Amino acid sequence: MAIHSLRSLLLGAGLFLLPVVACANSFGDRLREADAARTASDRARFAALVDGLARDRRQADESQIRHLRLLQDYRRAFAGDYEGATSDAMALVEQAPEPVLRYRAALLVSNIAALKRDYLVGLRYLDRALSMRDRIEDPAIRNLSGTVAGTLYNEFGHYELALNEAERVLADHPDPHNRCGARQIRARALNGLGRTLDEGRDIQEAVADCAAQRQPMAVNAIRATLAEYWAAH
């Protein structure tokens, strides 16, 4: 898979998180609104919201400041400042008392490490996130590790592990974004294992699902898997 596609899929995996907030007045509401803008892949709006939160950080408590730091780390990663994002996210993994924040920060480090082809760091922080997964109550956040892990395992050629992660997400009543990611991972893993693809269910339904979620890179990745499957057969 091309590095641009991998970058989009991995950072895209980190977008499957929080629902849109209809009205944002308090600092906490604005944090959730910024997270929702990130899930919608609206990078310009996300950056503007994060910058506004940073200007008003005196209104935040310590937990909200840590949440803002994570959003700023995502902003850095989107802008290509991988070193800055990684350094602060690693600090959050060690320092944050909130399990969900540590979990998300570990996955961000794993994402960035994979983009840099630093797979040892990526797997180490993925392992830390997976060790916390069962304590994450929100399924949308819990399933995020499955899409990150599945993408990484596919890149390593560990297709059975990738398939297991995809099936785990799909069995956990995923939100639409995570479902799209899992279906893309599943198709690639099945093909990597040399198994027969059901072009209706495994490809066309997955393409339609991801297109409905406005995830063009996932759509293209599924189509690329189909092309590889046709070439092999």
Side-chain angles (χ1 to χ4, degrees):
M1 181 179 292
I3 189 168
H4 176 74
S5 297
L6 177 60
R7 178 183 296 112
S8 298
L9 286 171
L10 284 169
L11 285 180
L15 301 181
F16 309 150
L17 292 174
L18 297 173
V20 174
V21 176
C23 180
N25 296 316
S26 72
F27 197 90
D29 286 338
R30 292 168 62 195
L31 279 170
R32 288 186 288 275
E33 185 182 21
D35 242 333
R38 190 168 59 81
T39 67
S41 301
D42 189 346
R43 301 290 171 78
R45 182 165 176 264
F46 170 67
L49 289 168
V50 170
D51 290 346
L53 288 163
R55 288 192 297 270
D56 295 337
R57 61 188 300 137
R58 291 182 181 179
Q59 301 174 15
D61 59 30
E62 292 184 1
S63 179
Q64 291 169 336
I65 289 294
R66 287 187 290 270
H67 188 172
L68 173 59
R69 282 175 57 189
L70 180 66
L71 297 185
Q72 290 174 312
D73 291 338
Y74 272 105
R75 192 190 189 304
R76 293 185 186 102
F78 292 149
D81 180 10
Y82 296 149
E83 295 302 323
T86 297
S87 178
D88 191 65
M90 285 180 171
L92 285 172
V93 173
E94 302 302 330
Q95 300 166 3
E98 301 88 355
V100 171
L101 196 61
R102 292 200 308 274
Y103 176 79
R104 291 178 61 183
L107 288 174
L108 177 58
V109 174
S110 182
N111 269 335
I112 296 170
L115 297 177
K116 296 167 60 181
R117 296 296 197 268
D118 190 350
Y119 289 120
L120 290 179
V121 171
L123 288 173
R124 186 164 71 246
Y125 276 85
L126 175 62
D127 185 64
R128 294 191 69 167
L130 293 178
S131 72
M132 295 183 272
R133 175 160 63 185
D134 290 343
R135 289 175 281 168
I136 305 300
E137 295 182 0
D138 186 331
I141 299 177
R142 182 174 61 245
N143 287 328
L144 176 60
S145 62
T147 57
V148 173
T151 302
L152 278 172
Y153 293 150
N154 271 337
E155 288 301 312
F156 268 115
H158 295 321
Y159 299 117
E160 194 69 50
L161 292 175
L163 181 60
N164 289 342
E165 289 295 334
E167 297 287 8
R168 176 197 289 267
V169 172
L170 291 170
D172 196 23
H173 307 291
D175 62 285
H177 287 340
N178 275 319
R179 186 179 64 233
C180 162
R183 296 181 86 165
Q184 181 270 319
I185 291 164
R186 183 178 183 276
R188 187 176 179 198
L190 287 171
N191 188 50
L193 289 167
R195 299 186 187 177
T196 300
L197 289 176
D198 181 326
E199 293 188 28
R201 181 192 62 199
D202 298 328
I203 300 297
Q204 301 305 331
E205 288 184 11
V207 165
D209 192 5
C210 291
Q213 310 313 318
R214 299 183 180 180
Q215 297 294 326
M217 294 309 302
V219 169
N220 290 340
I222 296 166
R223 288 174 173 159
T225 294
L226 178 61
E228 292 170 2
Y229 180 75
W230 281 344
H233 292 79

